[in-house]
């Protein structure tokens, strides 16, 4: 689709005193996407052409486009350019329900798959020792997985459990909780912390997103009914797809 070049003319987006030029251009393009003036799969002009049309430097263009990528509105296709992303339905996941990724996707009629990146018994690191109450002489089962819904990478999950809870981490192919339930070792409650994070180069490559993309980081410690901590998971979830919802009640 051929774009109307006037959409990027300075008269259509720049106002003196309204903030840095890259922010004004970013807001203008975001508004054009939300209004439908820029449609899914529309290609933005190349960086040099966009800088000329908008009468700004290429550095300013680069910063505006990078923010749009972080916001999930633009995707950069290697060797092709920058394109308006097709809207992806957001997934709402409750923070008050202890369900696995597999169960969450199944409840939404989606097929989940997992790519096991690592599964083995290792020496616990300091974070694992604190979260799981282990000593340096114990062994911890680690399972690192890339979680997908259909063909879309959704999350990276790095899980650690005491060896006696999961002596065979290689048995985990899709659902960790399904394996734990076979021995009545699945957690019955958990404490979670939700934080903002930016993807490293390695994690971005696995999720097929640009480096430094903003994501949601969730650290979860799962407990048995006895109060023993038996799961420590750190996950990176796509913020353009996931919404985590919590219910608050007045005591």
């Amino acid at each position: 689709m051929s774009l109307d070049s006037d959409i990027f003319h300075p008269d259509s987006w720049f106002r003196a005193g309204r903030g840095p030029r890259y922010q004004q251009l970013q807001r203008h393009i975001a508004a054009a996407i939300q209004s439908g003036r820029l449609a899914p799969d529309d290609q933005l002009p190349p960086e040099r052409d966009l800088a000329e049309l908008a009468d700004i430097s290429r550095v300013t263009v680069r910063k505006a486009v990078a923010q749009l990528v972080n916001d999930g509105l633009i995707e950069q296709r290697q060797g092709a350019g920058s394109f308006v992303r097709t809207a992806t339905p957001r997934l709402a996941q409750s923070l008050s329900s202890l369900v696995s990724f597999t169960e969450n996707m199944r409840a939404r009629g989606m097929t989940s798959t997992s790519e096991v990146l690592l599964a083995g018994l290792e020496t616990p690191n300091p974070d694992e020792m604190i979260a799981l109450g282990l000593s340096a002489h114990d062994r911890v089962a680690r399972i690192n997985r890339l979680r997908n819904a259909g063909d879309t990478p959704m999350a990276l999950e790095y899980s650690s459990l005491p060896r006696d809870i999961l002596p065979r981490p290689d048995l985990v192919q899709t659902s960790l909780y399904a394996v734990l339930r076979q021995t009545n070792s699945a957690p019955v409650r958990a404490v979670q912390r939700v934080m903002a994070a930016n993807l490293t180069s390695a994690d971005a490559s696995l999720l097929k997103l640009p480096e430094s993309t903003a994501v949601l980081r969730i650290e979860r410690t799962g407990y048995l009914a006895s109060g023993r901590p038996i799961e420590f998971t750190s996950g990176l979830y796509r913020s353009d797809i996931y919404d985590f919802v919590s219910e608050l009640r007045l005591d």
Side-chain angles (χ1 to χ4, degrees):
M1 177 179 177
S2 178
L3 298 181
D4 178 2
S5 61
D6 287 343
I7 194 174
F8 303 112
H9 192 279
D11 289 346
S12 68
W13 61 269
F14 177 69
R15 299 292 183 271
R18 298 287 183 87
R21 281 177 166 78
Y22 83 91
Q23 287 184 348
Q24 291 196 47
L25 179 60
Q26 176 261 327
R27 290 195 297 263
H28 174 70
I29 294 177
I33 293 172
Q34 291 161 0
S35 70
R37 189 175 180 188
L38 288 175
D41 284 328
D42 276 353
Q43 182 177 10
L44 297 185
E47 186 179 281
R48 180 169 55 186
D49 295 348
L50 184 50
E52 184 176 340
L53 289 169
D55 194 22
I56 52 177
S57 71
R58 294 177 66 174
V59 171
T60 301
V61 168
R62 199 172 301 132
K63 291 178 68 175
V65 172
Q67 185 59 55
L68 290 163
V69 170
N70 281 340
D71 292 342
L73 297 175
I74 295 291
E75 64 177 338
Q76 294 177 315
R77 302 174 187 171
Q78 188 170 3
S82 299
F83 294 79
V84 176
R85 290 193 60 177
T86 301
T88 304
R90 298 181 72 88
L91 297 173
Q93 180 168 334
S94 172
L95 286 174
S96 59
S97 299
L98 188 55
V99 297
S100 69
F101 177 89
T102 303
E103 293 164 335
N104 188 27
M105 294 301 104
R106 186 184 300 124
R108 286 160 175 74
M110 304 173 72
T111 301
S112 66
T113 59
S114 292
E115 179 183 344
V116 178
L117 308 173
L118 179 149
L121 296 171
E122 310 284 346
T123 301
N125 61 38
D127 288 341
E128 292 166 336
M129 286 189 283
I130 293 171
L132 299 173
L134 302 176
S135 74
H137 302 292
D138 290 319
R139 302 282 277 175
V140 67
R142 289 203 192 114
I143 311 99
N144 299 347
R145 291 167 296 166
L146 173 64
R147 316 305 301 270
N148 305 287
D151 297 326
T152 303
M154 302 285 285
L156 285 165
E157 291 185 339
Y158 303 98
S159 300
S160 305
L161 301 94
R163 181 179 183 175
D164 65 301
I165 296 295
L166 187 66
R168 291 280 309 278
D170 59 296
L171 295 179
V172 179
Q173 296 299 318
T174 304
S175 173
L176 169 62
Y177 283 10
V179 173
L180 295 178
R181 288 189 184 112
Q182 293 175 7
T183 56
N184 295 316
S185 300
V188 297
R189 71 177 184 90
V191 175
Q192 295 192 137
R193 297 176 62 229
V194 182
M195 299 156 281
N198 295 98
L199 289 176
T200 64
S201 176
D203 289 338
S205 178
L206 290 168
L207 289 173
K208 298 182 181 179
L209 294 171
E211 183 177 355
S212 297
T213 295
V215 294
L216 296 172
R217 181 185 187 92
I218 292 189
E219 291 184 355
R220 179 177 68 249
T221 302
Y223 298 84
L224 296 178
S226 65
R228 181 190 177 189
I230 54 88
E231 177 210 4
F232 179 62
T233 293
S234 178
L236 298 172
Y237 298 84
R238 291 180 53 163
S239 58
D240 60 327
I241 293 178
Y242 266 98
D243 280 330
F244 286 90
V245 179
S246 60
E247 179 181 356
L248 304 178
R249 294 179 181 273
L250 182 63
D251 292 333

